[in-house]
Amino acid sequence: MFNLIKEKIKKIYTSVTKQVSSIFSRNSLDEQFLKELSMLLIMADTGVRTTNEIINKLTADIKNTSITTLEQAKQELEKLLISQLQVSGGVDPAPRVTLLVGINGSGKTTFVAKFANLLKRMNKKVLVVAGDTFRAAATQQLMEWAQRVGVDVFVGKEDQDPASVVFDACKKFKDEHFDYLVIDTAGRLQTKVNLMRELEKIRRIIEKTIARSIR
């Protein structure tokens, strides 16, 4: 599964980089250049808002002749992309709450264990939460991983609503002063409306009880 995903990402990356190189081998900085660059940035998952900011900046620089060549445009694009990755000193780059979401079999529970282990080695106090109440094996698996890694695990009661489990876990997180809260959830497809609403409910609970950014 992982190798398949890795190969698909590699193909997408190769395709996008080839097309970017093709765009910058043009002869002029025109409207078509900016349009195609915008489409490629969206394809590369840059995001609509960020893409618009970048294209607007390049457009303005081209109009006022701050940028007159494709090489200058390429250099400016690199600077703009790098600036988007920089985090200001007043912001915590690592949110204390991580909510794992994905389809069945995507490796969420295993990732929780690996991430918790990484945080533990950084001397962080970690609480992992068994939010997958639909699959009994998931709770047992997470408990075993938590014991191996050496972190605390929160498990709800039998047939307890996932949102309720997370609410109780958030209280424990605050009361016992944990550094990180890592929540496992049941596998779901984004087309399943009820299950997606459940995630929204869980997120609202986290924001209200902890009021921290969620990854």
Side-chain angles (χ1 to χ4, degrees), residues 9-211:
I9 292 174
K10 184 178 179 180
K11 287 181 180 179
I12 293 171
Y13 173 79
T14 302
S15 174
V16 171
T17 52
K18 282 183 178 179
Q19 291 181 67
V20 169
S21 297
S22 176
I23 284 180
F24 282 100
S25 64
R26 290 175 176 273
N27 295 321
S28 62
L29 292 167
D30 53 17
E31 186 176 342
Q32 185 64 26
F33 162 79
L34 292 168
K35 183 178 180 180
E36 290 187 23
L37 179 59
S38 175
M39 292 177 63
L40 281 177
L41 289 173
I42 294 294
M43 286 174 57
D45 203 22
T46 305
V48 175
R49 181 178 177 180
T50 300
T51 296
N52 287 338
E53 290 176 357
I54 290 173
I55 296 301
N56 289 340
K57 178 65 167 60
L58 289 175
T59 301
D61 287 345
I62 291 171
K63 286 183 177 180
N64 65 28
T65 68
S66 297
I67 292 177
T68 59
T69 68
L70 286 162
E71 182 58 32
Q72 289 176 335
K74 184 177 182 180
Q75 292 175 1
E76 181 62 18
L77 175 62
E78 290 176 355
K79 290 179 183 178
L80 291 171
L81 289 172
I82 291 173
S83 69
Q84 292 293 330
L85 297 176
Q86 294 175 336
V87 181
S88 61
V91 179
D92 181 3
R96 294 196 301 170
V97 182
T98 300
L99 179 65
L100 272 294
V101 179
I103 61 174
N104 291 314
S106 58
K108 294 184 299 298
T109 304
T110 304
F111 178 83
V112 169
K114 292 180 178 179
F115 186 45
N117 185 46
L118 174 64
L119 294 172
K120 177 72 182 300
R121 288 187 295 176
M122 295 168 62
N123 296 317
K124 302 297 182 181
K125 187 178 180 182
V126 185
L127 175 64
V128 298
V129 183
D132 184 354
T133 59
F134 297 104
R135 188 168 64 92
T139 298
Q140 186 61 38
Q141 182 184 3
L142 191 62
M143 290 174 64
E144 292 178 2
W145 273 119
Q147 184 177 9
R148 292 184 191 179
V149 174
V151 298
D152 287 72
V153 59
F154 186 88
V155 177
K157 300 174 183 177
E158 186 176 356
D159 297 325
Q160 185 176 357
D161 177 68
S164 176
V165 173
V166 172
F167 176 77
D168 292 340
C170 286
K171 289 177 61 179
K172 180 180 178 68
F173 173 81
K174 290 199 304 181
D175 293 344
E176 300 183 22
H177 307 289
F178 284 88
D179 297 314
Y180 283 85
L181 182 67
V182 186
I183 306 169
D184 188 22
T185 64
R188 68 197 74 209
L189 295 172
Q190 63 183 27
T191 53
K192 300 295 183 181
V193 178
N194 290 338
L195 293 180
M196 295 308 292
R197 286 177 178 169
E198 181 183 81
L199 282 179
E200 293 175 2
K201 182 179 179 181
I202 290 174
R203 184 185 179 90
R204 288 196 299 270
I205 286 172
I206 296 170
E207 290 175 340
K208 288 180 179 178
T209 55
I210 300 178

